[in-house]
Amino acid sequence: MMQDRLKQILEEQVRKSDPQSKLTLDEKTRRRLESLGYVAENSVNEDLEFDQSKDDPKDLIDFHRNNNTVKELIALKKYGEAEQMSAEMLRQRPESLVAQLHLGRIAFETNDCSGAVAYFQKASAQNPAYYEPYNYLALCSLRAGNLDQAIDYFRKCVELAPGKYEILSNLGLALIYQSKFDEGIDYCLKALEINPRFTDALNNVAFGFEGQKEHEKAAAYYERALEIDNDDFSVHFGLARVLDAQKKYDAAALHYREMIRILPNSAGSYARLGTVLAKQGKLSEALASYKKSLEIDPNQPVVHEMINETLREMDSHKE
């Protein structure tokens, strides 16, 4: 269960982690780019390390365009084209931090963890005061199963960028995974102080309280998360687990049904719904739910056993 949550943050963080910090330009460079329509409000929306001493603004504009193109290619999963363009950006500007980050992210997304680490380490050495390489190094460490190292990198990120609520939340979850529940929950609550509507942090706080078997508190945070996003599969799953543990089976079944609504082909959701229905004595409904689970994924020995157990119980009621 915790492994699933950690895997989830890998996917979410990679999706969210396009560098968005703004580069403050000197007045001369700002006027150059603004006159050509590339700058608004004294900044560009990429973390680019332009050589502002160049007289010709074409280099700045071309780099800006290439950076945006690489982002689009990565979003479209056209990693070969993105890698080729990023490598050319790095050739043109060996000092470019953003090109290193692009190449690292491409390596990460194509499961080349060692290659990704090499790029992110170069980026962190190039600019030790910038948090983003350490964030990616933390995610690489999570993928490699090195939780201690991931936590160290997340702590470095927090030191450099204490206002990044996503990182505070991820550090909290990693600590919760180590059963450091109080410290982990505290970091997630700090994230919520910055952004009270950040559902990942609400989910992680709930997960921490669930780990401490404080089910009422866990349920309250899961419910807050659902008020913001009722289509979050993982939050419905968490709340269903907590309600099940409290023997509130009707309510748990409702959230397992919500999971099925969100992901209709989730074999596990049908199996869990069947289990809750069986606890309520609704054996025919439980059996139908188990069978639906096996239609989606026949290779589930535990569900086959659940069906056999349900059939035996149904037979015993006939006697």
Side-chain angles (χ1 to χ4, degrees):
M1 187 172 65
M2 288 188 173
Q3 289 284 9
D4 290 341
R5 287 289 296 130
L6 289 171
K7 182 180 178 183
Q8 180 188 22
I9 72 167
L10 284 176
E11 296 168 353
E12 291 173 351
Q13 271 296 301
V14 169
R15 190 176 66 248
K16 294 173 183 174
S17 288
D18 283 326
Q20 294 296 326
S21 55
K22 295 185 176 182
L23 171 69
T24 301
L25 304 176
D26 64 22
E27 183 62 21
K28 183 178 177 182
T29 304
R30 187 194 66 77
R31 284 199 306 269
R32 286 185 199 160
L33 293 181
E34 189 177 53
S35 68
L36 293 163
Y38 283 90
V39 182
E41 299 179 358
N42 297 320
S43 62
V44 241
N45 279 333
E46 289 85 24
D47 180 44
L48 306 182
E49 297 191 339
F50 293 123
D51 180 355
Q52 297 175 10
S53 66
K54 289 186 180 293
D55 293 328
D56 186 356
K58 185 176 182 299
D59 288 343
L60 302 177
I61 295 167
D62 286 347
F63 198 92
H64 170 88
R65 286 174 172 160
N66 289 342
N67 181 55
N68 284 338
T69 300
V70 170
K71 286 184 178 181
E72 291 172 8
L73 289 170
I74 291 174
L76 294 169
K77 303 189 181 210
K78 295 182 177 180
Y79 299 125
E81 295 175 57
E83 183 177 15
Q84 186 176 10
M85 184 168 284
S86 298
E88 179 60 20
M89 289 170 65
L90 194 61
R91 187 193 66 77
Q92 292 174 353
R93 293 181 178 273
E95 80 287 355
S96 169
L97 178 64
V98 75
Q100 294 277 11
L101 291 173
H102 283 325
L103 288 165
R105 179 171 175 182
I106 292 162
F108 183 86
E109 297 241 31
T110 54
N111 295 315
D112 177 10
C113 211
S114 61
V117 167
Y119 282 117
F120 296 138
Q121 285 178 337
K122 286 179 185 176
S124 66
Q126 184 177 323
N127 187 348
Y130 185 48
Y131 79 93
E132 190 71 25
Y134 298 104
N135 184 43
Y136 276 115
L137 286 167
L139 297 174
C140 288
S141 298
L142 282 182
R143 178 171 284 179
N146 191 337
L147 194 59
D148 288 334
Q149 188 176 68
I151 288 171
D152 288 342
Y153 282 129
F154 280 138
R155 289 191 193 278
K156 182 66 175 178
C157 289
V158 170
E159 175 189 329
L160 295 172
K164 294 292 180 180
Y165 56 86
E166 300 98 333
I167 295 170
L168 287 166
S169 179
N170 286 346
L171 173 56
L173 178 61
L175 290 164
I176 287 166
Y177 182 78
Q178 285 193 325
S179 299
K180 297 176 181 177
F181 295 111
D182 290 338
E183 187 182 7
I185 289 169
D186 282 346
Y187 274 109
C188 295
L189 291 174
K190 287 177 184 176
L192 291 171
E193 288 175 9
I194 299 168
N195 182 355
R197 293 180 61 81
F198 185 45
T199 55
D200 285 358
L202 290 167
N203 194 3
N204 292 342
V205 171
F207 193 57
F209 282 129
E210 185 182 353
Q212 293 179 314
K213 301 191 184 304
E214 299 224 28
H215 295 132
E216 290 290 343
K217 289 182 180 179
Y221 277 94
Y222 282 132
E223 286 166 357
R224 279 179 58 186
L226 289 177
E227 288 172 7
I228 297 167
D229 182 4
N230 192 48
D231 291 328
D232 192 318
F233 181 92
S234 66
V235 179
H236 280 291
F237 185 21
L239 186 50
R241 290 193 309 267
V242 167
L243 292 167
D244 192 348
Q246 293 176 300
K247 299 184 179 181
K248 297 178 180 179
Y249 300 130
D250 280 333
L254 184 148
H255 289 284
Y256 285 128
R257 293 186 195 279
E258 284 292 286
M259 290 163 63
I260 292 166
R261 174 185 65 80
I262 297 164
L263 290 177
N265 290 324
S266 171
S269 298
Y270 279 102
R272 293 181 182 97
L273 175 60
T275 300
V276 168
L277 292 169
K279 289 176 182 178
Q280 294 176 285
K282 299 177 180 179
L283 300 181
S284 295
E285 291 179 57
L287 187 62
S289 194
Y290 291 144
K291 288 181 177 178
K292 181 63 178 178
S293 178
L294 288 180
E295 285 178 20
I296 298 168
D297 180 8
N299 187 27
Q300 298 184 84
V302 173
V303 178
H304 283 284
E305 181 53 37
M306 288 174 175
I307 287 176
N308 292 335
E309 184 177 333
T310 302
L311 289 171
R312 287 193 295 270
E313 189 169 352
M314 291 172 77
D315 287 341
S316 70
H317 289 174
K318 293 177 184 177
E319 294 175 358

